[in-house]
Amino acid sequence: QQTDFSALCLQLTNGSEKVQQQTLQKLATLGNDGEKVLMDFLLQPRLQSPTWIDGIAYQALRSSDSPAVSAFLEANFPLGIVPLNSERGIDYTQLQQLLISQDFQASDKLTLRLLCELAGELALQRKWLYFTEVESFPITDLQTINTLWLVYSEGKFGFSVQREIWLAVGKNWEKLWSQIDWKNGNNWTRYPNEFTWNLTAPKGHLPLSNQLRGVRTISALLSHPAWTTANK
Ligand code: UYC
């Protein structure tokens, strides 16, 4: 059976995100020729950070059992497809590994730890963040963490997703909590068992920020210049 690869390639460059996602997943079922298109897709030069569409291509290739594909991934993306830029020498390799394997609960815990590491020794011991520490986070590191979440969650999770929803509800916290399932009516969602640790969660559900000490920390996070500065 003949597959019209030129039509599929056109959908990859011109289709909506949904169509691109479907096309990539279709290509993954077409053997060597399809895998070749997926590999070329990932190798295209990019002006900005990878997107969740790139994440779909990467995950599709990872589930291939072709030795040629494994060798390609090992050679080009040994740690994953997101560049792990940090201004403070922080290593995001483990977070990338956990997100690639869709272990969103462990990723969430590690994200809080990494943010504390970013804030410094006092925050690491305290295990939570002052809003003043969040305000002075480097843009680069927040963008790295956020891109990791976006790319490996089909664009569903990440601080920038939470920010968009927060702006859309006029910065009304109660509306944000209910929209991202952090609160149900008057009841807070209980950590950890009542949260949804997979992609069936609503958009913006993860990563979590504990609200036990008020909204100033998440407010600083969602107002950070990282979300209005171009991504390298
Ligand atoms: N927890 O309820 N949370 C914890 C959330 C609240 C509480 C951790 C999120 C409300 C206590 C994470 C929500 C509340 C602890 C989250 C939520 C509350 C704890 C682990 C919905 C009571 C034990 C990391 C907004 C009414 C630890 C961490 C402690 C932990 C997340 C209680 C990720 C998104 C107001 C008692 N909750 N948290 O921060 O600090 O410890 O005592 O938000």
Side-chain angles (χ1 to χ4, degrees):
Q1 185 200 316
Q2 179 75 24
T3 305
D4 189 349
F5 276 93
S6 54
L8 289 179
C9 293
L10 211 61
Q11 288 178 357
L12 263 194
T13 35
N14 299 342
S16 66
E17 286 183 327
K18 265 280 164 274
V19 167
Q20 290 181 33
Q21 175 182 22
Q22 285 159 3
T23 308
L24 290 166
Q25 280 161 347
K26 163 124 216 251
L27 283 161
T29 68
L30 298 178
N32 290 339
D33 293 342
E35 285 167 348
K36 178 80 174 69
V37 178
L38 291 177
M39 291 188 280
D40 288 345
F41 181 80
L42 280 184
L43 284 185
Q44 282 170 11
R46 279 168 181 65
L47 295 171
Q48 298 211 321
S49 358
T51 66
W52 69 267
I53 299 293
D54 302 315
I56 296 286
Y58 174 74
Q59 295 285 25
L61 287 172
R62 266 181 46 100
S63 54
S64 158
D65 43 31
S66 148
V69 169
S70 310
F72 167 86
L73 292 177
E74 192 48 49
N76 293 283
F77 306 103
L79 303 178
I81 54 172
V82 178
L84 302 180
N85 303 320
S86 171
E87 263 173 46
R88 307 223 170 132
I90 293 182
D91 184 1
Y92 296 106
T93 307
Q94 195 195 354
L95 181 58
Q96 178 145 245
Q97 290 312 301
L98 289 172
L99 285 167
I100 288 170
S101 62
Q102 311 257 288
D103 186 343
F104 294 114
Q105 186 165 0
S107 300
D108 182 68
K109 273 182 109 163
L110 181 56
T111 296
L112 177 61
R113 223 197 78 91
L114 289 165
L115 291 177
C116 287
E117 207 176 313
L118 200 53
E121 200 48 54
L122 287 173
L124 256 181
Q125 285 169 21
R126 194 191 313 127
K127 296 188 163 69
W128 51 275
L129 299 160
Y130 284 136
F131 73 99
T132 46
E133 292 165 335
V134 173
E135 285 170 349
S136 50
F137 279 163
I139 288 173
T140 306
D141 289 66
L142 278 187
Q143 288 181 344
T144 296
I145 294 170
N146 188 59
T147 302
L148 284 167
W149 277 94
L150 280 176
V151 164
Y152 300 114
S153 69
E154 303 183 5
K156 209 159 208 184
F157 299 148
F159 301 121
S160 64
V161 178
Q162 294 168 346
R163 169 184 161 87
E164 288 308 315
I165 299 170
W166 180 57
L167 295 181
V169 298
K171 301 191 178 179
N172 179 312
W173 295 111
E174 290 303 320
K175 287 185 182 165
L176 177 67
W177 308 150
S178 71
Q179 195 149 333
I180 65 179
D181 276 8
W182 285 10
K183 211 170 177 178
N184 195 330
N186 282 328
N187 304 314
W188 295 101
T189 303
R190 293 212 188 169
Y191 182 83
N193 288 337
E194 287 180 2
F195 290 92
T196 304
W197 303 105
N198 59 58
L199 291 177
T200 68
K203 240 176 176 290
H205 190 60
L206 300 176
L208 301 182
S209 305
N210 191 358
Q211 297 308 309
L212 196 57
R213 298 173 190 87
V215 297
R216 280 187 306 178
T217 300
I218 192 170
S219 178
L221 203 48
L222 302 189
S223 312
H224 198 278
W227 321 128
T228 47
T229 307
N231 231 307
K232 277 178 279 156

